[in-house]
């Protein structure tokens, strides 16, 4: 992307979704947020409002796209 200085990037850490986030996923996300911030992006932690009860809808939507077959290789 080249220079990302000043970009505003929102991310959801998934902490309030209702199930534990794998430690490796959390470390990777924290690392990515830190790297983007160090390159000048303005990182904003947000809560998208998802919860475990939304996962069936999310899963069905994802699997109905062209990405679905990739999940079952």
């Amino acid at each position: 992307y080249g220079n990302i200085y000043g970009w505003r990037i929102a991310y959801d850490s998934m902490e309030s979704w209702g199930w534990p986030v794998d430690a490796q996923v959390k470390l990777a996300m924290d690392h990515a947020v830190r790297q983007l911030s160090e390159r000048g992006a303005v990182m904003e932690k947000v809560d998208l409002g998802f919860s475990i009860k939304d996962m069936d809808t999310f899963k069905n939507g994802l699997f109905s796209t062209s990405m679905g077959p990739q999940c079952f290789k």
Side-chain angles (χ1 to χ4, degrees), residues 11-71:
Y11 69 98
D12 187 336
S13 64
M14 303 182 299
E15 293 169 347
S16 65
W17 287 23
W19 68 85
V21 177
D22 183 86
Q24 288 183 309
V25 171
K26 180 162 177 24
L27 283 172
M29 185 178 294
D30 291 344
H31 178 73
V33 168
R34 194 169 43 255
Q35 292 289 313
L36 291 165
S37 182
E38 288 173 0
R39 286 167 176 73
V42 178
M43 303 302 296
E44 181 178 352
K45 187 176 180 179
V46 299
D47 181 352
L48 294 175
F50 291 121
S51 71
I52 197 162
K53 65 181 173 47
D54 301 315
M55 287 303 105
D56 280 340
T57 301
F58 182 71
K59 176 187 69 182
N60 292 339
L62 177 67
F63 292 153
S64 70
T65 68
S66 61
M67 187 174 186
Q70 302 300 319
C71 296

